[in-house]
């Protein structure tokens, strides 16, 4: 299994404390937690857990369709969007896949274990804040090599050299905003890449797991007009439904039946289906989330600047930090029951990088104070 944020269980076991005593900055979850309306809906539906969930998530798909102004027939729901990532590679069987680096690790893992697909990375540069150069990405997707990253030593499979439909690649992944960098592409730039993918006959999978923090850049309503565009959405980040596992994808109509043929049944439980509908309806929760995140991000950025810590500007509820020469920060914070995301396993990053979530003021203060203490201690070493 790949390393991910949110593994409070391992740290609690190491420290011999209860999980609730861990302050988890490694998972980028809404600090408001689950909305009161969602909690009430879950309690109300507990008595129905003796029944199988709706196999097709019809009510949820109908509401998602209304929410986005699309057709329910284009939607598949999953056990988080991660299930759909694996479903896509398993069902569509691409021959050559292009993935930016650094980005969410499950894209590559899904490709590696689905028919042993060969993967090529498009390297993002820290000098450019890890932003994607749209024109270069398109050139690479169409067969150029200017930004292809040299694979790590002893990779599970060799890098892609040839294959794909009409060129090197017949599938590309794009995380927008990107995890772990927090950087986002404007809607018109994603559209430009999607148009190029259509010409190339290359499926473009746009993972919008964090797009709720900048919804104006979503391309979810453009899928109906592009047979090579796929958009994934997660409800585990913005709506804090991580434990219930709920996500969905919007797919070109001609792909739906093939995807269904490869999909496991009953992967979306009854509570997740009901909770998702209520969460999408909760306008007050969304408004409060925007207010809180904006306020806390301003506070965190000011403190990081005062400490001289390099952070990458983010459109999401998390930050990528670079602490050169301070490789031990992850372990030192862990000793204080503060869990941050060690980014050393992301391609293109290293042990100097960590990712932190935006949490409550009290929790943010604890983290920032601990960071300041660590920097002061290292300065005197």
């Amino acid at each position: 299994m790949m390393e991910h944020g949110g593994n409070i269980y391992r740290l609690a076991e190491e420290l011999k404390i209860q999980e609730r005593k861990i302050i988890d900055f490694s998972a980028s979850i809404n600090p408001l937690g689950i909305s009161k309306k969602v909690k009430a809906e879950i309690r109300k539906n507990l008595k129905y857990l003796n029944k199988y969930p709706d196999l097709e998530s019809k009510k949820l798909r109908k509401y998602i369709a209304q929410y986005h102004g699309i057709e329910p027939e284009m939607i598949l729901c999953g056990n988080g969007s991660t299930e759909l990532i694996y479903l896509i590679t398993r069902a569509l069987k691409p021959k050559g896949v292009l993935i930016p680096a650094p980005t969410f690790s499950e894209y590559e893992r899904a490709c590696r274990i689905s028919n042993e697909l060969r993967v090529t990375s498009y390297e993002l540069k820290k000098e450019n804040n890890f932003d994607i150069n749209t024109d270069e990405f398109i050139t690479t997707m169409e067969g150029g090599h200017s930004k292809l990253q040299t694979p790590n030593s002893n990779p599970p499979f060799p890098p892609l050299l040839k294959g794909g439909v009409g060129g090197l690649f017949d599938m590309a992944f794009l995380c927008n905003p990107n995890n772990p960098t927090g950087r986002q592409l404007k809607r018109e730039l994603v559209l430009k890449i999607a148009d190029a993918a259509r010409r190339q006959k290359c499926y473009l999978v746009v993972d919008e797991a964090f797009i709720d923090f900048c919804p104006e850049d979503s391309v979810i309503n453009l899928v109906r007009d592009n047979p090579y565009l796929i958009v994934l959405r997660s409800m585990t980040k913005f709506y804090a439904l991580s434990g219930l596992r709920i996500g969905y994808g919007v797919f070109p109509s001609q792909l739906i039946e093939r995807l269904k043929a490869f999909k496991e049944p009953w992967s979306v439980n009854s509570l997740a289906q009901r909770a998702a509908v209520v969460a999408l309806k909760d306008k007050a929760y969304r408004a409060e989330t925007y207010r809180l995140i904006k306020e806390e991000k301003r506070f965190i950025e000011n403190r990081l600047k005062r400490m001289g810590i390099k952070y990458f500007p983010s459109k999401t509820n998390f930050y990528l930090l670079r602490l050169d020469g301070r490789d031990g920060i992850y372990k030192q914070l862990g000793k204080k029951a503060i869990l941050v995301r060690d980014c050393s396993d992301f391609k293109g990053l290293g042990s100097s990088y960590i990712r932190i979530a935006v949490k409550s003021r009290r929790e943010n203060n604890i983290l920032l104070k601990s960071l300041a203490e660590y920097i002061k201690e290292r300065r005197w070493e």
Side-chain angles (χ1 to χ4, degrees):
M1 294 294 291
M2 304 296 291
E3 181 68 32
H4 288 292
N7 196 345
I8 58 174
Y9 313 100
R10 184 172 62 190
L11 183 57
E13 185 177 1
E14 290 174 1
L15 298 178
K16 295 180 172 52
I17 62 175
Q18 296 176 323
E19 288 114 8
R20 63 181 177 82
K21 294 185 179 180
I22 304 293
I23 305 178
D24 185 12
F25 285 88
S26 71
S28 307
I29 309 303
N30 192 326
L32 290 178
I34 301 173
S35 83
K36 293 179 181 179
K37 292 180 180 179
V38 169
K39 289 180 181 178
E41 185 70 9
I42 290 173
R43 286 193 292 267
K44 187 171 71 174
N45 283 273
L46 286 174
K47 59 187 174 184
Y48 301 119
L49 289 182
N50 62 324
K51 302 182 184 300
Y52 276 95
D54 177 7
L55 188 64
E56 298 183 0
S57 305
K58 288 182 179 179
K59 289 182 179 178
L60 175 55
R61 285 170 46 238
K62 181 180 178 180
Y63 190 77
I64 292 171
Q66 293 174 352
Y67 185 78
H68 292 297
I70 56 179
E71 293 74 37
E73 293 76 22
M74 301 170 62
I75 301 167
L76 280 181
C77 297
N79 190 259
S81 56
T82 300
E83 181 199 356
L84 301 176
I85 293 169
Y86 282 78
L87 174 63
I88 289 167
T89 55
R90 188 168 64 246
L92 301 187
K93 295 180 170 60
K95 296 177 181 177
V97 183
L98 180 64
I99 303 175
T103 196
F104 186 45
S105 58
E106 293 298 339
Y107 309 143
E108 182 167 351
R109 184 171 186 266
C111 293
R112 298 285 188 201
I113 68 175
S114 296
N115 309 302
E116 299 186 354
L117 303 177
R118 295 176 179 177
V119 177
T120 300
S121 296
Y122 170 87
E123 184 180 12
L124 305 177
K125 297 288 189 181
K126 65 176 181 292
E127 296 82 7
N128 299 326
N129 282 337
F130 297 107
D131 286 338
I132 286 181
N133 182 305
T134 307
D135 292 332
E136 287 183 346
F137 188 82
I138 291 172
T139 298
T140 305
M141 188 171 62
E142 293 175 341
H145 296 272
S146 60
K147 287 286 184 177
L148 297 187
Q149 185 183 54
T150 302
N152 295 333
S153 59
N154 301 318
F157 304 100
L160 177 69
L161 296 177
K162 59 183 178 179
V165 178
L168 285 175
F169 307 106
D170 52 357
M171 182 173 288
F173 282 87
L174 194 63
C175 186
N176 194 42
N178 190 28
N179 174 19
T181 66
R183 305 295 291 165
Q184 112 279 13
L185 279 176
K186 292 293 185 181
R187 173 185 163 95
E188 59 267 22
L189 295 179
V190 180
L191 179 58
K192 186 176 182 180
I193 296 174
D195 288 340
R198 180 174 185 170
R199 294 193 301 270
Q200 176 76 5
K201 296 184 179 180
C202 170
Y203 288 112
L204 178 67
V205 183
V206 182
D207 183 354
E208 296 187 340
F210 291 94
I211 203 71
D212 291 290
F213 295 99
C214 47
E216 67 278 2
D217 291 318
S218 175
V219 294
I220 200 166
N221 61 352
L222 301 178
V223 175
R224 65 162 65 89
D225 300 319
N226 188 334
Y228 289 92
L229 177 61
I230 296 169
V231 175
L232 303 180
R233 298 292 284 265
S234 171
M235 298 196 66
T236 65
K237 317 296 185 186
F238 189 91
Y239 295 100
L241 298 178
S242 308
L244 278 180
R245 308 302 305 140
I246 178 67
Y248 56 94
V250 180
F251 300 88
S253 56
Q254 77 276 8
L255 296 182
I256 290 293
E257 291 307 315
R258 179 169 182 82
L259 290 163
K260 285 182 178 179
F262 282 83
K263 191 177 186 302
E264 295 87 351
W266 302 300
S267 64
V268 184
N269 67 72
S270 302
L271 296 181
Q273 292 183 37
R274 293 302 310 158
V277 171
V278 174
L280 288 171
K281 290 181 178 180
D282 197 340
K283 295 180 181 179
Y285 178 87
R286 282 200 298 276
E288 177 60 14
T289 297
Y290 291 135
R291 185 203 64 77
L292 176 63
I293 295 297
K294 182 179 179 180
E295 186 176 287
E296 291 308 309
K297 287 183 71 173
R298 186 185 303 116
F299 172 73
I300 290 172
E301 290 179 10
N302 288 337
R303 290 283 294 274
L304 291 175
K305 288 176 184 176
R306 282 162 48 188
M307 286 187 281
I309 294 177
K310 168 65 178 178
Y311 69 89
F312 294 87
S314 170
K315 292 290 289 188
T316 66
N317 62 333
F318 62 83
Y319 287 97
L320 179 67
L321 309 184
R322 191 177 80 219
L323 298 99
D324 293 329
R326 302 183 179 98
D327 298 356
I329 186 67
Y330 171 77
K331 291 183 179 179
Q332 288 300 315
L333 291 173
K335 292 177 182 178
K336 297 182 177 183
I338 300 172
L339 184 62
V340 298
R341 178 64 163 94
D342 175 11
C343 292
S344 59
D345 62 335
F346 282 97
K347 279 188 176 181
L349 299 182
S351 57
S352 294
Y353 291 86
I354 61 172
R355 190 191 66 202
I356 62 168
V358 177
K359 298 180 75 66
S360 69
R361 178 61 59 89
R362 182 188 70 83
E363 292 168 317
N364 293 334
N365 255 322
I366 292 173
L367 172 65
L368 293 166
K369 182 180 178 182
S370 297
L371 283 173
E373 290 173 350
Y374 179 76
I375 291 173
K376 185 177 180 180
E377 290 171 2
R378 292 298 296 267
R379 191 176 291 135
W380 286 99
E381 287 181 357

